Amino acid sequence: MIGRIIGAATRAGLVALLFALPAIILPTVSEDVVHIVLLFAIFSSILVFIEYVTTAPSFIEFRHAPPFNRMRFLAIFLTVFALSVIARGEVAPNAFTAFLHALGIIVGDAIDFPYSPVRLMVIMLPDNATPELIKEVRTASGLSYLISLMTLAVFYFFARVLEWPARNGAFNVWINLPLFDPTAGGDVLPRLQRDGRLNIALGFLMPFLIPAIIQMMSDLIDPIYLSDPMTMIWTISAWAFIPASMIMRGIAMSRIATMIDENRRRAYAASRGTHPGASPARLAACCLGGLR
């Protein structure tokens, strides 16, 4: 119990630090922004603490299947940290800010080809955007997209080569997928496969769709002004992180579906050899309860 409380408090503190990171790094932040950031940090840390201090999860998926959530948090943390450091370099430059800025320029220029996600982010800017703002958005988009691609590559290695999550022991579908309703109807295997493919497809499309949707909606509502460092940091971080997170979820659900199919095949083979009268539904439920 004490260990669970300490772990939940540690995760809550890291999430609060994530929301407060831009306000900590940026040298000039207004008092109103600090109050809003503090509110978000406290609210998010309370949610995370309540989620991890309880035994049964409520909305966080793959809670007992590391390093899925750790990799997602590390990706968004590195993205927010890198963009905050680059934004700080515009006011208080140093060697580290110059290095990240140069890296972002190289990656942004390499990815900024016609119809690429970075090019669409640049096109999304208003017509009166300054060349400096266009360069900043290209740099931030390139660096954040690089971090998301590296995260996807590492997680794919874990899932396909290291056979995640089989090496972590038994995998309980009911606990690690609290938002997935196995009683909604039909076999869970094709539903998991369908959800996995849908998440992967949406994850690949969202970096292209988000800038287009924002540009179309700018005629109806006030456009997003990326000239503000705080707005640019969170907008571009969300643009890069949400699609990568969806692709990771799709890969994970496809991996779980593969494990369920393998366990069913072994269970059916064993039942035919030792228990000819075993119920297929009961075997499927046993496979879902704890996978190895």
Side-chain angles (χ1 to χ4, degrees):
M1 181 64 182
I2 296 178
R4 186 163 66 245
I5 293 176
I6 294 174
T10 303
R11 291 176 172 87
L14 290 174
V15 171
L17 177 62
L18 169 65
F19 279 93
L21 197 59
I24 295 173
I25 295 178
L26 294 177
T28 56
V29 179
S30 64
E31 186 176 351
D32 293 337
V33 172
V34 172
H35 291 163
I36 295 174
V37 168
L38 183 62
L39 179 63
F40 273 100
I42 294 175
F43 180 72
S44 60
S45 62
I46 291 175
L47 283 180
V48 172
F49 179 80
I50 294 175
E51 173 70 15
Y52 276 92
V53 80
T54 56
T55 303
S58 58
F59 66 94
I60 295 182
E61 296 182 326
F62 302 103
R63 207 179 81 173
H64 298 284
F68 183 84
N69 288 323
R70 298 172 186 177
M71 291 182 60
R72 291 200 302 178
F73 177 81
L74 184 61
I76 185 64
F77 189 90
L78 289 178
T79 302
V80 173
F81 175 76
L83 299 189
S84 300
V85 170
I86 291 176
R88 179 183 176 86
E90 300 295 329
V91 180
N94 55 42
F96 186 55
T97 60
F99 168 75
L100 288 180
H101 191 267
L103 179 62
I105 291 175
I106 295 173
V107 177
D109 291 340
I111 302 179
D112 186 15
F113 52 86
Y115 305 106
S116 69
V118 175
R119 175 65 61 85
L120 292 178
M121 285 294 292
V122 174
I123 295 176
M124 182 192 69
L125 296 173
D127 296 334
N128 59 352
T130 62
E132 291 77 12
L133 178 60
I134 295 175
K135 183 178 179 181
E136 291 174 6
V137 171
R138 183 186 294 112
T139 300
S141 301
L143 189 57
S144 60
Y145 206 66
L146 174 64
I147 295 174
S148 65
L149 291 178
M150 292 176 61
T151 305
L152 287 176
V154 173
F155 180 70
Y156 186 83
F157 176 80
F158 269 92
R160 296 300 179 182
V161 179
L162 300 183
E163 298 182 349
W164 174 92
R167 294 193 175 186
N168 297 329
F171 181 88
N172 194 305
V173 178
W174 318 114
I175 294 178
N176 287 286
L177 292 174
L179 302 179
F180 180 79
D181 186 7
T183 62
D187 190 4
V188 295
L189 184 59
R191 288 173 53 210
L192 283 171
Q193 293 172 340
R194 179 198 61 198
D195 291 351
R197 293 165 185 163
L198 180 62
N199 276 270
I200 293 175
L202 288 177
F204 276 112
L205 289 175
M206 282 187 68
F208 303 91
L209 293 178
I210 291 176
I213 293 174
I214 293 177
Q215 190 174 21
M216 289 187 297
M217 292 181 63
S218 62
D219 297 332
L220 303 176
I221 60 177
D222 292 335
I224 297 176
Y225 295 100
L226 296 182
S227 56
D228 178 66
M230 192 76 70
T231 303
M232 184 182 67
I233 290 169
W234 286 113
T235 301
I236 296 181
S237 296
W239 165 79
F241 170 74
I242 294 177
S245 180
M246 292 185 66
I247 295 175
M248 288 178 62
R249 186 176 186 270
I251 295 174
M253 297 189 78
S254 299
R255 173 62 183 157
I256 300 307
T258 302
M259 293 175 62
I260 291 175
D261 185 50
E262 294 174 353
N263 276 268
R264 282 186 178 181
R265 293 178 184 275
R266 287 196 294 265
Y268 292 157
S271 66
R272 285 194 296 267
T274 57
H275 302 286
S279 170
R282 185 173 182 180
L283 291 173
C286 293
C287 292
L288 279 173
L291 300 175
R292 289 190 179 274

